[in-house]
Structure formats: structure tokens, C-alpha cells
Amino acid sequence: MHDDLIAEASAWLAEDPDPETRDELAKLIEAGDVTELSARFSGTLQFGTAGLRGELGAGPMRMNRSVVIRAAAGLAAYLKNQGQSGGLVVIGYDARHKSADFARDTAAVMTGAGLRAAVLPRPLPTPVLAFATRHLGAVAGVEVTASHNPPRDNGYKVYLGDGSQIVPPADAEIAAEIDAIASLNDVPRPDSGWETLDDSVLDAYLARTDAVLAAGSPRTARTVYTAMHGVGKDVLLAAFARAGFPEPVLVAEQADPDPDFPTVAFPNPEEPGAMDLAFAQARATDPDLVIANDPDADRCAVAVRAGSDWRMLRGDEVGALLAAHLVCRGATGTFAESIVSSSLLGRIAEKAGLPYEETLTGFKWIARVDGLRYGYEEALGYCVDPEGVRDKDGITAALLITELASVLKEQGRSLLDLLDDLAVEHGLHATDQLSVRVQDLSVISDAMRRLREQPPTELAGLAITRAEDLTRGTDKLPPTDGLRYTLDGARVIVRPSGTEPKLKCYLEVVVPVAAHAGLPAAHTRAADLLAAIKRDLSAAAGI
């Protein structure tokens, strides 16, 4: 076993084009570090519907140039099999470690395979790449990003020609092509032949951002903004300037790209502590709202003043606010969300007489809804301009929520006042999440098995009226690894995360509210129910 492992690692080393990972791997082989080598050679990073994502380092279980070259070659072979020889592939990248190298390698592989490749001019938000794929009539787009993962990670996200992310069976077909590559030496990688785009694509994206706002709407809301050490700042500032909003006050410590994300444990606005610097800036400057993007700026977080301090709005709250705003503006078309998001969107759409669709988790599914006008997911993702960007877009979402805050400001009201109105109109829809990060992935599979073998009959004293194993699919949804429990006045979904080593449980309770005076009691009741559901679900899952 030991000799086989050393032989496998040595063969990988012989083909590795990156001096850094070559050096790293050579040292592991020299030291005979079987534990570390086993971890890196226990398989290969799996190419799924999120593309690739993993920790940087040498070997097939890490993100590195060898893995990316294979992925690009597999994608190129898939595109040619689809009759797309000679088609254009657009490549974007963020400011993480190795992102520019991975983008360049991808361009070289596409060029060598007889496709045309064009690379965005510098690190830019993921939505700019999603836009460019449609705008330039490309057959595919690649974004090198690990979004809001830890600093040591990177990833590889693939869009097809409609500008939305890949879904089955394309992922499995691309994975099969990657597996068929015997040696990196079989993959032609010329030194030139691709195009580096100028700013005209970015200008076209920015021109579209104007279209998400209503002509003549108020533009008075003042914001504090953090880019969370990512690539959002310049594009967001340009979009806000075009729109005529007051210039956002920046969180200076997090304004510029830094792949080490020095001020946050996790560069995700949802993680505890990530917004502390933004809140400090808000206390100092008293804006109307705080806006944060994640590092690749496809997500948008919003915080508001609540009493004497600031609080983050949940993704479901922002999702409902944007929906209500679009309804108020007379939007038509389908409103869509994933199954883990709040059912409030369905109530808003129904009341407005608009079509409504529920999809599997992920924008790859939401973006494919026919006639989509607006889609959102509770993990801070909003698609407010599906004709321009068929994916979540943290820049246009920031514009739209700032427009809504401006409209309400002119009326002497706030985003929280509108949320109260929605609760009285549709019932208080309160959501929470029980999220368990694990070192050992078997903890997740054990919890899922336990819930399947011994499903709970009640949670928080509420009877479970329906239990669905989503691996079987439903009349409206394809199969996925998840469980859905419908309770009397509540809903729970349990699923493994698609991008991180986490088990995620999504909780929602709906408490009827007769009038505004009943809101405090409804909030208390909702908080008590959510806490009890969390406790009972943890016990049932053994986590």
C-alpha cells in the first residue's frame, strides 16, 4: 500500500506544472508522510453541479493547476461532443490565491482544444461573468471562485450558454470526460491565442444595472458597504454612482481584495463576527442601511437599525422585501425560490396573482424556471434581473434594496415597518437554521440515516403531518438528498450542504397575526417554537 501510494504521488509529481505544489508534494514523498499523502490521493475532487471546490494544495483531492487543467479539458471535450467546436468560452476569476493562474490555464486548454477563449480583464464579481456568458453569446462560462469559503479554498464554477450553472446530466457527462484524461501530457496548452477582454463587457453589465431601478424613483438612502476583502467594491460603487445614490461609506479595513481575509474567520456575512466592522462603521456614521457582499459579490447581505443597534436581516426577510417591492412596482412574470427558502414568497405571489415556482436548492435550478422575473434563496442570493444575469447577483440586489429603503425613507418608514406589514397581511413567517459543521463526513450520513430509519412524529409539540424523503423526488421536484417535514404551522428541511462539510436544517414557523398590536406576542411565540424545533430535531438526528 505504502509503495503504491508513493508511486501514485510520484507519477502525479512528474506531470504537475506548478513549482509550488511540486515542491510541496516532493517534500511529502521525501518524508514518507503516508497520512497526508493518503488524504490527498484517496480519490479525486468530484466535479458536481457546483463544479469543483476544495482546499488548495498538491494532489487529486486538492484544488491545484493539475486538477484545473483536467477539469478544463473535460469541459472542452464535453462542449465539442455537444457540437460546440469553435464556440466561445468566457472565463472570469476572483482575487483568491491561484485564481488568475487557474483562469489562464483554462484559457490555454480551451484554445488548445480548438475553442475560442476570452478572459475578463481582472478579478471581477461572479455576476459579471454570468452576464458576459449571455451577452457575448458564449457556449460556456467558467468562474474561478470559492465564493465565501475559507481563505485556503478555491473553486471552479461552470455556466452553459444560457448563462445559468450546469445541472444534471451535464455535470456527470463533464465528470466522465475529466476521468477519461489519462495524462496531462495529452492536453495541449498553447502559450497564447486567447483574448483578454477590455472593459466593454463590464460597461455593458453596468448599463444593465440601471434597468433594475424604476425611472424617477427616490435615491436618498445612505449606506455603509463592505466588500469583505473581495472583488465587489469597484463595481458596486460604479453602479451606485450611475444610479445617483449617495456614495456608500466603505468599511476601509475590508474594502480591497485580500485572499487571506485577515479580519474575518469566514468571509461570509452570515457567519458570527463577519459584520462587526461594518456595524462599527454604521454606529459611527448612522446610515439608513448596511450592505455587504461576499467575496465574489454574488450574494448581498443587508442590516438595519433595530432599536439602538444594528441587526442583519435574514435572507428570507430580504427575499420577501424585494418581492413586495417588485409587486408594488407592477412586476409581472414568475416568482421562484428554492425549497429551503421561506413560504412567504408564495403567499406574496399568490396575493398579487403572479405565477410561483419552488425548485431544488441552488440558483442552477431557480435560473431555469420558465418566465422567471424574480428568484431568491435564503442564503443571501437574489436574482432581480434574470434577462441580464441568470444567477444570483449581489450588485443589482444591493441597488434594488437601496431603492426600496429610499422609497420607505420618503414615507418616514423603514424596511422593518414593511416586514411588519407583511406579517400582518400574510402571517409572521419566521425562519432559522440549524447548521452543523463537521470534520468527519460520516456524522452527516449517520444523521440522515437515523432520521430515515426513525423519523420523528412531532417537533416542538407540533405533529408532523407529512414526512417526505426527497431522494425519491416529488411530483414537482427531481430527486435530491434531503428530508422535508410538514408540521401544523411549521416546516423543516434537512439536507447535506452541496459546497461545505455541513449538515443544514432549515426551519420555518408561521404564526397568524390579527393586527400590528399582536406582533410582539407573535415574535415571542415564533422564537419559542423555533428554539424547541431545533432542540427536538438535534435529538432526533443525534447531532
Side-chain angles (χ1 to χ4, degrees), residues 185-536:
N185 300 328
D186 301 336
V187 180
R189 297 199 318 277
D191 291 329
S192 62
W194 58 90
E195 180 186 359
T196 300
L197 295 165
D198 60 19
D199 276 353
S200 58
V201 169
L202 177 60
D203 293 342
Y205 168 82
L206 285 168
R208 266 211 80 92
T209 63
D210 303 351
V212 305
L213 303 174
S217 62
R219 311 276 165 96
T220 53
R222 294 178 306 107
T223 54
V224 157
Y225 171 71
T226 175
M228 211 141 290
H229 300 297
V231 297
K233 178 192 72 172
D234 291 347
V235 178
L236 182 127
L237 289 180
F240 269 58
R242 288 179 69 105
F245 287 113
E247 184 176 349
V249 175
L250 299 178
V251 178
E253 302 93 326
Q254 299 174 333
D256 294 317
D258 186 331
D260 295 318
F261 305 104
T263 67
V264 288
F266 280 93
N268 177 356
E270 293 178 294
E271 292 282 346
M275 295 291 287
D276 288 356
L277 287 170
F279 290 164
Q281 182 65 269
R283 290 181 202 112
T285 53
D286 195 28
D288 297 298
L289 69 168
V290 174
I291 287 174
N293 286 138
D294 67 338
D296 69 329
D298 63 351
R299 295 166 197 248
C300 176
V302 181
V304 294
R305 179 179 290 290
S308 61
D309 208 357
W310 289 82
R311 87 160 171 95
M312 276 273 286
L313 293 179
R314 291 189 163 277
D316 284 318
E317 292 175 313
V318 176
L321 287 167
L322 291 175
H325 183 44
L326 289 169
V327 165
C328 191
R329 279 182 25 185
T332 57
T334 303
F335 280 27
E337 65 180 340
S338 61
I339 55 172
V340 298
S341 305
S342 169
S343 58
L344 178 55
L345 184 69
R347 305 262 178 108
I348 291 169
E350 184 183 15
K351 180 93 184 274
L354 294 173
Y356 164 77
E357 290 281 337
E358 204 176 47
T359 74
L360 292 185
T361 312
F363 262 84
K364 56 184 179 279
W365 297 109
I366 294 170
R368 287 182 150 69
V369 167
D370 280 345
L372 181 67
R373 173 58 187 88
Y374 168 65
Y376 97 91
E377 187 155 78
E378 55 72 46
L380 311 183
Y382 315 93
C383 173
V384 301
D385 176 26
E387 289 310 302
V389 176
R390 277 199 106 68
D391 196 10
K392 54 187 178 288
D393 183 346
I395 305 292
T396 48
L399 287 169
L400 198 62
I401 198 73
T402 308
E403 177 183 62
L404 173 57
S406 300
V407 169
L408 292 166
K409 184 178 181 179
E410 303 290 295
Q411 301 166 359
R413 285 159 41 83
S414 72
L415 294 174
L416 293 180
D417 293 326
L418 181 51
L419 281 173
D420 287 348
D421 292 351
L422 292 171
V424 172
E425 188 173 0
H426 302 287
L428 174 64
H429 289 61
T431 57
D432 202 356
Q433 196 180 118
L434 171 63
S435 182
V436 184
R437 185 181 287 274
V438 300
Q439 292 293 318
D440 178 1
L441 289 175
S442 69
V443 174
I444 294 176
S445 50
D446 289 349
M448 295 298 287
R449 189 180 68 247
R450 187 167 172 168
L451 289 171
R452 286 188 169 108
E453 289 172 0
Q454 299 170 292
T457 55
E458 64 165 42
L459 295 167
L462 302 175
I464 291 176
T465 55
R466 190 170 170 207
E468 298 167 277
D469 187 341
L470 299 175
T471 48
R472 302 188 181 111
T474 71
D475 54 348
K476 293 198 168 168
L477 298 170
T480 187
D481 186 9
L483 300 163
R484 177 163 62 180
Y485 303 117
T486 305
L487 299 86
D488 189 14
R491 183 214 65 197
V492 172
I493 291 171
V494 184
R495 61 180 278 274
S497 167
T499 54
E500 298 174 274
K502 277 183 177 181
L503 182 68
K504 291 186 164 183
C505 311
Y506 303 85
L507 325 175
E508 177 176 48
V509 299
V510 184
V511 180
V513 189
H516 280 77
L519 279 166
H523 279 288
T524 302
R525 167 77 177 145
D528 291 347
L529 278 174
L530 287 169
I533 291 173
K534 262 191 187 180
R535 183 191 64 225
D536 293 354

Side-chain angles (χ1 to χ4, degrees), residues 131-219:
F131 167 80
T133 306
R134 283 170 75 81
H135 178 68
L136 297 174
V139 297
V142 171
E143 176 71 16
V144 180
T145 181
S147 190
H148 56 280
N149 275 37
R152 63 180 183 275
D153 289 5
N154 213 329
Y156 199 81
K157 189 185 274 194
V158 176
Y159 297 81
L160 292 180
D162 62 353
S164 59
Q165 294 174 55
I166 52 169
V167 294
D171 57 340
E173 291 169 16
I174 295 168
E177 294 291 351
I178 295 170
D179 291 343
I181 294 155
S183 164
L184 281 195
N185 300 328
D186 301 336
V187 180
R189 297 199 318 277
D191 291 329
S192 62
W194 58 90
E195 180 186 359
T196 300
L197 295 165
D198 60 19
D199 276 353
S200 58
V201 169
L202 177 60
D203 293 342
Y205 168 82
L206 285 168
R208 266 211 80 92
T209 63
D210 303 351
V212 305
L213 303 174
S217 62
R219 311 276 165 96

Side-chain angles (χ1 to χ4, degrees), residues 38-59:
S38 297
R40 290 157 184 258
F41 287 86
S42 59
T44 57
L45 271 189
Q46 287 307 296
F47 189 93
T49 49
L52 292 167
R53 203 176 283 186
E55 189 176 341
L56 290 164

